[in-house]
């Protein structure tokens, strides 16, 4: 099956053939990096800022817009588009400047997971995304593997454990809990908290754990998720 706009393009599973090849000779090259809403996860932020060798505060200030959603108080972190050109601040004539560490949503493009587990659809037509007309046939699974999706999915599973299911089901956080969750994006702030001796002893963090997270930002992110969860549980128990 080729993605010719037939109904099947909306019902791809991992075994489905997927015809797609993106490259710099296409007239649409980098057009998909313009005027888009790219929502970032904490792991996206970590990968991108590590690529750019930037701290979390500086990265968030320079390349994103972020806020707590008005009703749910969930942190919303989006890639910032240039006010004049409407292009992502990270795109160049040669393509994405952080390609090896581009966010999950950019890796997935032009596919989008549907609400059904393991099902995908193309989010744009082949008139807009010309790579969908290029020769190059893989299965969806092979393409996903090539996009390096797996570590993003694994870290998302850990992210999900940071919020107690009762809060997930309510779809709403207290303002304080939203701010707490934002710590996973702003890991510099969490790292600064770890420097406090009394904080370390309250949470029984060993010197070995501290050494580990100082050397490994992914370990720091995992620890932040654990801390956020413990605080959320405490908030719930006192509610
Ligand atoms: S629109 Fe599609 S083919 Fe064109 S650059 Fe973007 S992903 Fe590649
Ligand atoms: S992060 Fe890279 S791939 Fe994603 S929109 Fe920006 S330039 Fe494009």
């Amino acid at each position: 099956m080729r993605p010719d706009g037939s109904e099947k393009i909306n019902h791809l599973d991992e075994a489905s053939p997927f015809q797609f090849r993106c490259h710099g000779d296409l007239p649409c090259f980098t057009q998909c990096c313009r005027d888009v809403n790219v929502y970032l996860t904490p792991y996206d932020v970590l990968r991108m800022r590590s690529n750019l060798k930037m701290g979390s505060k500086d990265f968030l200030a320079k390349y994103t817009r972020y806020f707590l959603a008005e009703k749910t108080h969930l942190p919303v972190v989006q890639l910032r588009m240039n006010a004049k050109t409407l292009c992502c601040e990270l795109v160049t004539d040669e393509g994405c400047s952080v390609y090896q560490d581009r966010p999950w949503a950019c890796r997935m493009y032009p596919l989008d997971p549907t609400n059904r587990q393991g099902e995908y659809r193309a989010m744009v037509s082949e008139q807009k995304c010309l790579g969908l007309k290029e020769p190059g046939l893989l299965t969806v699974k092979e393409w996903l593997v090539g996009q390096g999706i797996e570590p993003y999915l694994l870290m998302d599973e850990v992210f999900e454990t940071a919020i107690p299911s009762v809060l997930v089901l309510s779809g709403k956080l207290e303002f304080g809990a939203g701010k707490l969750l934002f710590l996973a994006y702003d890991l510099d702030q969490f790292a600064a908290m770890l420097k406090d001796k009394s904080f370390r002893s309250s949470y029984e963090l060993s010197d070995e754990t501290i050494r580990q997270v100082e050397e490994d930002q992914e370990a720091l992110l995992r620890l932040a998720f654990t801390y956020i969860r413990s605080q959320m549980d405490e908030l719930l128990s006192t509610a």
Side-chain angles (χ1 to χ4, degrees):
M1 190 271 295
R2 48 169 285 139
D4 58 2
S6 67
E7 200 185 336
K8 281 187 178 167
I9 197 80
N10 286 320
H11 299 283
L12 300 171
D13 61 31
E14 292 194 340
S16 303
F18 180 48
Q19 182 180 329
F20 176 67
R21 194 168 81 85
C22 174
H23 57 88
D25 294 333
L26 293 170
C28 60
F29 189 59
T30 72
Q31 287 306 303
C32 48
C33 300
R34 185 176 182 277
D35 202 11
V36 279
N37 279 323
V38 179
Y39 295 96
L40 302 176
T41 66
Y43 186 59
D44 286 330
V45 169
L46 173 56
R47 288 282 297 257
M48 295 168 90
R49 71 178 182 80
S50 299
N51 182 297
L52 295 164
K53 301 187 176 29
M54 289 176 82
S56 59
K57 275 197 193 333
D58 290 346
F59 175 83
L60 289 166
K62 185 165 182 187
Y63 291 112
T64 73
R65 60 187 291 266
Y66 57 90
F67 53 93
L68 294 188
E70 207 172 307
K71 286 189 183 151
T72 64
H73 296 145
L74 282 164
V76 178
V77 181
Q78 281 177 297
L79 270 183
R80 183 193 289 273
M81 300 290 129
N82 182 285
K84 282 189 187 149
T85 63
L86 300 184
C87 291
C88 173
E89 300 280 10
L90 290 158
V91 75
T92 68
D93 289 346
E94 285 74 47
C96 177
S97 59
V98 292
Y99 186 78
Q100 293 305 323
D101 295 294
R102 66 200 183 285
W104 175 87
C106 303
R107 285 167 195 268
M108 287 299 297
Y109 193 90
L111 290 191
D112 199 21
T114 71
N115 291 333
R116 291 187 195 181
Q117 178 74 24
E119 188 184 88
Y120 304 86
R121 68 182 179 95
M123 58 200 293
V124 283
S125 68
E126 59 185 32
Q127 280 75 38
K128 210 169 167 198
C129 176
L130 300 171
L132 288 165
K133 289 202 276 197
E134 288 288 288
L137 193 62
L138 295 170
T139 63
V140 169
K141 172 83 177 174
E142 286 166 337
W143 180 76
L144 289 173
V145 169
Q147 293 302 302
I149 292 293
E150 202 179 356
Y152 290 78
L153 298 181
L154 292 175
M155 198 56 99
D156 256 18
E157 280 174 21
V158 190
F159 185 25
E160 280 168 19
T161 64
I163 313 177
S165 50
V166 61
L167 292 180
V168 174
L169 289 173
S170 76
K172 193 169 184 272
L173 298 180
E174 292 299 320
F175 185 75
K179 276 182 78 176
L180 184 65
L181 197 53
F182 187 71
L183 262 187
Y185 290 93
D186 188 4
L187 280 184
D188 287 354
Q189 196 188 338
F190 182 58
M193 288 160 67
L194 293 179
K195 293 207 183 303
D196 185 299
K197 266 191 186 163
S198 57
F199 180 90
R200 294 203 298 260
S201 77
S202 311
Y203 291 96
E204 297 175 355
L205 297 170
S206 67
D207 290 349
E208 178 53 30
T209 302
I210 298 297
R211 239 193 322 276
Q212 211 183 351
V213 299
E214 278 173 355
E215 286 166 10
D216 180 352
Q217 288 277 309
E218 291 195 16
L220 180 64
L221 179 57
R222 286 171 190 273
L223 185 62
F225 288 143
T226 307
Y227 168 71
I228 290 165
R229 175 58 192 252
S230 72
Q231 292 300 100
M232 293 233 180
D233 286 341
E234 210 170 300
L235 280 173
L236 277 177
S237 70
T238 56

